[in-house]
Amino acid sequence: MHPLNEYISQQIAEKLKARKVVVWYDPRREFAPFIGELRGGARTGDEAVPVAVGGLAARLAEFDGSMFELRAVVEPFVCDDAPSDCVIIYLPGCERDRHGSVLMELEKAGECYEPQLKRLARNVLRQRYTDGVIDEMLAPERVAYEDLARASSDTSSTEPPSVLKSIFHSMSGNEGIIAAWLASSERDAEIEAKEATRELVKLLRSKLGLELPDGAALPKLRSITLRYGLASEFRCDLSGAPPSVLDAIPSPKTKDEEAAVRELAHQLRSKFADVYPEMADRVEAELGLRDAGVPAGTLGSIDTFRFEERVLLAHCGDLVAAKKFDEALEIIGQREHSFWLARDVGRKAQWEACRRMAELGSLGAMVRTAVGKSGGDANAWIGAYAAKDGWFRLDHAQRRLEAWVANLDDEPQERPLGVVRGVYEDACRAMADGFTKALVAAKWTVSPSLHQTRIYSEIVSEQPKPVAYFFVDAMRYEMGVELSERLPKSVEVSVRPAICALPSITPIGMAALQPGASSSFSVVEQAGTLGAKIDDAFLPDLSARKKFAASRVPKLADIALDELLSLQRSRLAKKIEGAQVIIVRSQEIDHAGERGFTFQARQVMDTVIDNLARAIRKLAAAGVEHCVLTADHGHLFFPSDRDESMRIDAPGGDEIDLHRRCWIGRGGATPAGCVRVTASALGYDSDLDFVFPVGSGVFKAGGDLAFHHGGPSLQEMVIPVVTVRMKARETGRASAGPVTASGLPHAVTNRIFSVTIQLDGKNLSLFSNELVVRPLLISAGKQVGGVGMAVDGDFDRATGCVKLRAGKPVTVAFLLSDESSPSLRVVIQDPTTDAELYRSPTDIPVRLGV
């Protein structure tokens, strides 16, 4: 049998398998020859004859003038509830009666079949011909089954087989052939030699509706077709009127032609992604689209031309500048996966910056509104700030934005960035002003809240031993929440807020974390030096605090975070051997901020959180299951120092100490916009006075500093208490895992760079076809960066984890947070076990600016 017969037989067989009965209406008698082939000769009677169709045994009953007679003929084969026989009921010359058919019951129980011969034939003929040739073959009104059967046969045909299909034998589908021809001229000589140009022109007319000039050379035909295809997709995507520069380019006339144009453009981008940018840029320049003034709001998928992405990002920036934050976020969410962004990590980073700006602006507006409605209860302010969806999220969004901007080689648009920074500062100012007034009204008492001086007695001392006690200088509450999210889901972790001692400066806050502070704590001055006093011990500095802790806590170990991360596991275990309490000190945040290195401070803040998580996991591997992490104080952090209007003259008088956000001494004046409180009002046994700015202003304390603490704002006073229990276990060792990485740079020359990672389906062993991984940048045992975004994969921004699927590569953009690292390695971990699934084979040098 010929291919057309086989194809129709297979269609019928599939329907019989599904429903047992096929009622076939053929009003034009187009399929009568097929029925003749099926029965194997002329019809000899009225009975239902046995036939074989598509390898399936069936009964064939044919209409011969009486519907009632036909129903009676098939009744014996369909009368059972579950007929065992398959039945084909063929009705030549009959239109289906959809309302009163005698065969209605059979039609409902089985399947009604009303095929069109030319449509079925087209599916078969596509195996040998292109659509342009098929259109010509099917055009005559009288073309019959026998003609199409011959055309589909491998041995006899009215047309020679497609030359284009033989030239582009590796491509499937007509759009695939057209895309391959547009993407490269390397087959032009063969097309000309085999005289296939006419067939190509027919195909373009048939699929795209494109009329091409007679006798034009292939390069000209290619240029016209490419311009038509891309311009048509662009025009179809627009929600408004197309620019006048497209007036000379014809449009698809039918929905089928429009769909073919879209599919062609899709195949160009998916199968010829390396050459598509050059093709699209050429057409964009030829049409002058970049300067055509296309309104950003009318743009569609922004996949066709490069200029679309840039126009729309600028539009999103304008929306942010106009404080239409949610509108910008909606556009970014819909369009941030365009073809152009998937190929350019730098542009993707700019979209990410805009998204973070819009998120910050949206949160800022929400918090500012909520603050304006808040009352005078200081504890309610703390609750609103530290709730699960509390105001602290504003600080988190601000830090994430500033850290991201610090790593961009090209700054984002200045105007929207300035607007959202202003929104954040306004919200901070309102929060600081309102909370300070609430504290004054409460006589500086927030008794229901956990006070910093009780953290050791109520939290640390109650933990099973050994316990690690982290002092993280200047860690804000939002950073503690993010730290808890960075830990594996299997870890027991809780975060609660605590209120730090005033003034919120390091000597006071670190002393308040000491054992014994809950029963005896004062801020005093001795010999002109400010410090804290616990019982009879005066603690003005780190040395004094270390000695005091060692005297109060038997079997105490003290180690810096940097040292802990750099120690090998065996040396770490030896250093903390026998210790019941291990104090881990981190000063990275405060050091970077206090030195006035705004740029570095923004980078360090992200790095510290990841390294604290690494330290917790490393201690667990050394047998320390329980950890408590907290801070001496939080901080306010802005992208630049306070302007002159927000700088306040110091009170004067007997000044003991002066910080940007607090004055400590005796006497003097209380400047406008400040509040004075006595030490006794804060519960201290001393005669000191403290003066704080009410809002987010600073004293004129010298230097240029964007990082502030010492005052009574929520960001400075609400600190996290993170309690962790991580089961002791072996640290994951580097081994040959199921994850591979490609595209590793020879040297890191930009803070943001991309690497492609993949879950290898051939080496999964115990792993499933999906795996969540945590890609990191490691240097000398410390984490110096992580993933900032995934270009084409599932990325969890909270944890820095990426979901991989077997055989599907994902391009991740790494963010180098510590540019002081001389070299680094790319490490990919299982976040639940810390097992290393991949480690780059050699150190990658860091050469920023090269």
Side-chain angles (χ1 to χ4, degrees):
M1 278 299 170
H2 51 81
L4 182 58
N5 177 284
E6 292 171 356
Y7 180 77
I8 297 172
S9 296
Q10 190 60 41
Q11 299 296 305
I12 297 170
E14 293 297 328
K15 297 178 186 303
L16 289 172
K17 289 176 184 176
R19 304 293 291 271
K20 290 290 188 179
V21 175
V22 171
V23 182
W24 184 352
Y25 288 96
D26 183 13
R28 298 176 61 183
R29 301 179 186 272
E30 294 179 304
F31 294 95
F34 170 82
I35 295 297
E37 293 172 343
L38 187 63
R39 78 168 88 88
R43 185 179 180 190
T44 57
D46 296 333
E47 70 278 6
V49 299
V51 295
V53 56
L56 195 68
R59 293 276 179 172
L60 171 65
E62 301 178 55
F63 173 74
D64 192 23
S66 171
M67 291 286 187
F68 291 99
E69 180 185 9
L70 182 61
R71 191 172 70 176
V73 168
V74 300
E75 183 66 24
F77 306 104
V78 298
C79 59
D80 294 338
D81 290 338
S84 57
D85 289 320
C86 293
V87 178
I88 302 169
I89 304 171
Y90 177 64
L91 296 98
C94 294
E95 294 279 358
R96 180 185 177 188
D97 182 352
R98 299 180 185 276
H99 303 288
S101 173
V102 172
L103 304 179
M104 182 73 73
E105 185 178 4
L106 292 169
E107 292 175 6
K108 295 292 186 182
E111 182 161 343
C112 202
Y113 190 38
E114 300 174 88
Q116 295 180 15
L117 176 61
K118 289 185 177 181
R119 183 170 296 177
L120 292 181
R122 180 179 291 275
N123 294 335
V124 178
L125 295 172
R126 278 178 175 153
Q127 303 301 315
R128 303 190 70 222
Y129 309 105
T130 51
D131 276 4
V133 173
I134 295 172
D135 286 347
E136 289 191 349
M137 294 169 64
L138 298 180
E141 180 67 25
R142 295 181 178 276
V143 67
Y145 178 86
E146 293 87 345
D147 302 318
L148 297 173
R150 285 194 299 273
S152 69
S153 174
D154 289 334
T155 58
S156 175
S157 174
T158 59
E159 286 274 353
S162 169
V163 176
L164 284 179
K165 282 184 175 288
S166 66
I167 295 173
F168 295 94
H169 56 84
S170 61
M171 304 306 299
S172 61
N174 291 296
E175 288 89 351
I177 290 174
I178 298 172
W181 170 67
L182 289 175
S184 172
S185 61
E186 65 180 14
R187 294 186 177 93
D188 282 7
E190 188 176 0
I191 292 173
E192 291 176 347
K194 294 182 178 180
E195 299 180 351
T197 303
R198 178 174 173 272
E199 183 186 352
L200 176 62
V201 170
K202 286 183 186 179
L203 175 61
L204 295 172
R205 182 190 305 119
S206 171
K207 292 302 296 180
L208 308 180
L210 177 60
E211 296 291 341
L212 291 164
D214 294 332
L218 285 173
K220 183 176 181 179
L221 296 178
R222 177 179 290 106
S223 179
I224 294 172
T225 305
L226 184 61
R227 203 159 44 237
Y228 169 81
L230 298 190
S232 295
E233 184 195 38
F234 173 69
R235 183 161 35 202
C236 291
D237 270 347
L238 289 175
S239 60
S244 59
V245 295
L246 297 183
D247 289 349
I249 308 296
S251 302
K253 300 176 185 64
T254 67
K255 291 293 183 182
D256 286 344
E257 290 172 0
E258 182 179 319
V261 162
R262 290 184 179 278
E263 177 60 23
L264 172 62
H266 170 72
Q267 292 218 20
L268 284 171
R269 288 189 290 269
S270 60
K271 296 182 178 179
F272 304 98
D274 290 341
V275 297
Y276 181 83
E278 187 274 331
M279 291 191 293
D281 288 347
R282 186 170 66 249
V283 173
E284 177 187 313
E286 290 172 354
L287 296 176
L289 286 168
R290 184 177 302 180
D291 302 318
V294 180
T298 68
L299 292 173
S301 65
I302 69 168
D303 283 325
T304 311
F305 297 115
R306 192 189 302 269
F307 89 95
E308 296 180 79
E309 172 265 311
R310 296 174 185 270
V311 167
L312 197 59
L313 179 59
H315 175 61
C316 289
D318 291 341
L319 290 174
V320 171
K323 299 186 178 180
K324 298 179 180 179
F325 306 119
D326 293 338
E327 190 175 337
L329 282 171
E330 183 179 0
I331 292 174
I332 293 167
Q334 293 171 347
R335 314 294 179 81
E336 64 179 342
H337 301 295
S338 87
F339 169 83
W340 301 100
L341 299 182
R343 295 183 60 79
D344 188 341
V345 70
R347 293 303 301 172
K348 179 77 170 177
Q350 291 293 324
W351 278 74
E352 178 69 12
C354 193
R355 185 185 63 78
R356 295 189 187 204
M357 285 191 284
E359 286 179 343
L360 176 58
S362 180
L363 280 169
M366 181 192 70
V367 170
R368 184 66 183 85
T369 299
V371 166
K373 298 177 181 178
S374 297
D377 183 349
N379 280 293
W381 281 74
I382 296 167
Y385 181 77
K388 182 178 180 181
D389 294 322
W391 301 343
F392 75 88
R393 294 183 302 135
L394 177 65
D395 300 318
H396 181 254
Q398 182 250 3
R399 176 173 57 81
R400 284 177 51 79
L401 170 63
E402 296 298 344
W404 190 260
V405 170
N407 284 285
L408 293 178
D409 290 321
D410 297 319
E411 284 260 337
Q413 301 172 62
E414 185 175 340
R415 186 161 159 259
L417 184 59
V419 167
V420 296
R421 284 171 170 171
V423 169
Y424 175 73
E425 292 189 25
D426 180 57
C428 285
R429 186 163 47 249
M431 291 166 70
D433 183 73
F435 182 57
T436 303
K437 290 177 180 177
L439 286 174
V440 171
K443 300 186 184 302
W444 300 90
T445 301
V446 285
S447 54
S449 300
L450 173 65
H451 196 272
Q452 186 179 36
T453 54
R454 306 204 313 266
I455 291 175
Y456 185 87
S457 61
E458 296 184 15
I459 307 295
V460 179
S461 65
E462 297 300 314
Q463 300 297 312
K465 304 300 184 290
V467 59
Y469 189 20
F470 284 73
F471 296 167
V472 187
D473 202 337
M475 180 169 67
R476 285 198 301 205
Y477 182 77
E478 55 92 7
M479 300 174 81
V481 174
E482 181 170 330
L483 170 62
S484 70
E485 294 171 344
R486 296 257 170 172
L487 296 171
K489 301 298 183 186
S490 58
V491 173
E492 297 175 23
V493 58
S494 67
V495 186
R496 61 180 295 186
I499 300 301
C500 76
L502 282 172
S504 52
I505 56 177
T506 299
I508 307 307
M510 287 298 182
L513 298 175
Q514 299 296 319
S518 60
S519 59
S520 170
F521 184 83
S522 288
V523 177
V524 301
E525 172 258 333
Q526 287 188 10
T529 301
L530 183 73
K533 189 174 182 181
I534 300 177
D535 293 332
D536 295 327
F538 179 59
L539 309 176
D541 53 30
L542 175 60
S543 176
R545 294 193 297 271
K546 280 187 170 185
K547 290 179 181 178
F548 178 81
S551 69
R552 292 295 186 101
V553 181
K555 299 181 180 179
L556 176 74
D558 197 306
I559 186 171
L561 176 64
D562 188 69
E563 182 186 3
L564 188 157
L565 293 172
S566 63
L567 283 176
Q568 294 181 350
R569 185 165 59 93
S570 58
R571 294 185 62 190
L572 174 62
K574 184 174 182 180
K575 185 173 183 67
I576 64 176
E577 184 178 5
Q580 295 300 292
V581 177
I582 301 103
I583 292 178
V584 181
R585 302 181 186 275
S586 167
Q587 295 179 291
E588 288 81 0
I589 299 171
D590 204 53
H591 275 185
E594 291 285 8
R595 286 182 295 179
F597 300 147
T598 304
F599 178 81
Q600 291 183 6
R602 285 185 273 178
Q603 294 179 317
V604 164
M605 287 178 188
D606 266 9
T607 307
V608 170
I609 294 173
D610 288 319
N611 280 324
L612 288 170
R614 286 181 63 79
I616 292 169
R617 295 190 291 266
K618 196 164 186 177
L619 285 167
V624 182
E625 295 186 356
H626 298 271
C627 299
V628 177
L629 301 92
T630 190
D632 53 346
H633 54 75
H635 64 269
L636 286 168
F637 183 66
F638 302 105
S640 59
D641 197 7
R642 309 285 75 199
D643 59 47
E644 287 298 326
S645 65
M646 299 186 71
R647 297 192 185 201
I648 305 167
D649 290 325
D654 180 15
E655 182 179 296
I656 304 300
D657 208 350
L658 176 64
H659 294 259
R660 287 299 184 92
R661 294 276 297 156
C662 66
W663 174 91
I664 304 106
R666 301 177 184 88
T670 303
C674 292
V675 61
R676 180 183 293 264
V677 58
T678 63
S680 59
L682 295 175
Y684 302 146
D685 184 15
S686 72
D687 61 350
L688 293 173
D689 289 334
F690 305 97
V691 180
F692 306 107
V694 172
S696 57
V698 297
F699 289 118
K700 295 177 180 177
D704 181 14
L705 193 67
F707 173 91
H708 313 296
H709 59 87
S713 72
L714 288 163
Q715 288 89 345
E716 295 165 284
M717 286 193 68
V718 180
I719 57 172
V721 181
V722 185
T723 307
V724 180
R725 180 177 184 265
M726 177 178 279
K727 199 168 184 180
R729 52 180 170 73
E730 289 286 321
T731 302
R733 304 294 182 86
S735 61
V739 179
T740 59
S742 60
L744 296 171
H746 297 296
V748 175
T749 56
N750 295 301
R751 297 179 189 90
I752 298 177
F753 63 94
S754 61
V755 172
T756 299
I757 61 177
Q758 183 170 340
L759 184 61
D760 186 356
K762 298 178 182 178
N763 191 26
L764 284 178
S765 61
L766 299 178
F767 298 91
S768 68
N769 287 328
E770 290 187 350
L771 187 65
V772 175
V773 300
R774 182 174 52 232
L776 308 169
L777 301 178
I778 302 295
S779 178
K782 294 191 299 181
Q783 183 172 337
V784 295
V787 173
M789 57 188 177
V791 175
D792 45 13
D794 294 334
F795 173 54
D796 187 334
R797 291 183 174 91
T799 62
C801 292
V802 179
K803 180 183 283 188
L804 299 180
R805 295 177 176 83
K808 182 182 178 183
V810 174
T811 300
V812 296
F814 280 106
L815 213 69
L816 176 62
S817 300
D818 185 354
E819 61 183 68
S820 65
S821 307
S823 63
L824 56 82
R825 291 202 188 202
V826 172
V827 173
I828 301 174
Q829 291 182 335
D830 180 340
T832 61
T833 66
D834 280 350
E836 286 191 3
L837 307 175
Y838 173 83
R839 175 181 284 264
S840 53
T842 58
D843 284 347
I844 303 171
V846 176
R847 298 171 185 158
L848 296 181
V850 176

